[in-house]
Amino acid sequence: MKRTVVTIACAAMLCSGCGITTQTVVPDKVVREKQTEAVQEEYASGFRAGYEAARQELAKKISEDAQAMKALKIYQRLIYEGAMAPPEVVTVHRPERLSPDGQRYTSAQTETVIRRPARFVRKEPLAALLSEQRADIYGIFPDGESAAAAARQLKGKAGVIPTDDGRYAVYQLAE
């Protein structure tokens, strides 16, 4: 009877699909799976690094935009209060030309030129603006290039402001 029960139980297990199974390990398949996992992990780490770099670049751009908007707001306030004169912009029209020998033709062109940059018309607003921003004047320079070079050499936040006499003031924000 015991033998019959064991035989029936074994037959039932084999018929139901529950039997003893063996797994065959193929070395090439194992190596390929490990390589695939390594490639997927490298892809995931590269994606994370790229995502973080993109997030940092976006934060930097947003910060720059916020600073530009703040500067624009200060500029508009100074223009509105009459402390600063806006730039004088001129559009120059050059008519079409034909060379005397008829060999060269130049089409009509339009060019926009800044005749005079934005500038302070009174000295008091410059001092008020710098005191409001907690900034100190670093120096006055004859042209914009030398002022920009001086601003780049300063550690911390610095800026360049054109003055009413055509020179450029370099200021540094207090930390």
Side-chain angles (χ1 to χ4, degrees):
M1 171 91 171
K2 281 186 176 181
R3 193 172 199 200
T4 308
V5 172
V6 170
T7 305
I8 292 175
C10 287
M13 274 186 10
L14 290 176
C15 290
S16 69
C18 295
I20 300 171
T21 58
T22 59
Q23 180 180 5
T24 306
V25 176
V26 180
D28 291 340
K29 185 177 179 183
V30 172
V31 169
R32 276 188 305 232
E33 286 177 356
K34 289 193 184 256
Q35 288 175 344
T36 303
E37 287 176 10
V39 167
Q40 288 175 346
E41 180 57 36
E42 287 177 19
Y43 175 80
S45 67
F47 179 82
R48 285 189 296 272
Y51 182 82
E52 182 61 26
R55 190 190 67 72
Q56 289 175 354
E57 187 66 26
L58 180 63
K60 179 181 163 189
K61 293 290 183 189
I62 289 173
S63 173
E64 289 172 357
D65 287 348
Q67 290 175 355
M69 289 301 294
K70 185 177 179 181
L72 180 62
K73 187 176 178 182
I74 291 170
Y75 173 75
Q76 288 175 339
R77 188 185 82 206
L78 291 172
I79 295 286
Y80 178 75
E81 292 174 355
M84 197 171 196
E88 295 175 16
V89 179
V90 180
T91 302
V92 178
H93 175 71
R94 296 192 174 95
E96 59 188 18
R97 291 183 305 237
L98 184 62
S99 66
D101 61 357
Q103 296 296 316
R104 285 178 280 147
Y105 171 76
T106 305
S107 64
Q109 298 174 350
T110 306
E111 182 181 0
T112 304
V113 179
I114 299 174
R115 183 187 302 176
R116 195 167 178 192
R119 64 213 173 278
F120 283 99
V121 291
R122 292 193 319 256
K123 189 173 182 179
E124 302 85 33
L126 176 60
L129 174 66
L130 293 176
S131 68
E132 179 181 301
Q133 294 290 324
R134 294 191 318 272
D136 299 320
I137 292 181
Y138 175 71
I140 306 289
F141 295 88
D143 58 2
E145 291 82 23
S146 59
R152 280 193 300 272
Q153 289 177 355
L154 290 175
K155 301 289 184 204
K157 298 188 181 211
V160 177
I161 299 174
T163 60
D164 59 346
D165 59 356
R167 297 183 301 168
Y168 294 85
V170 176
Y171 66 91
Q172 183 175 18
L173 295 175
E175 301 280 336

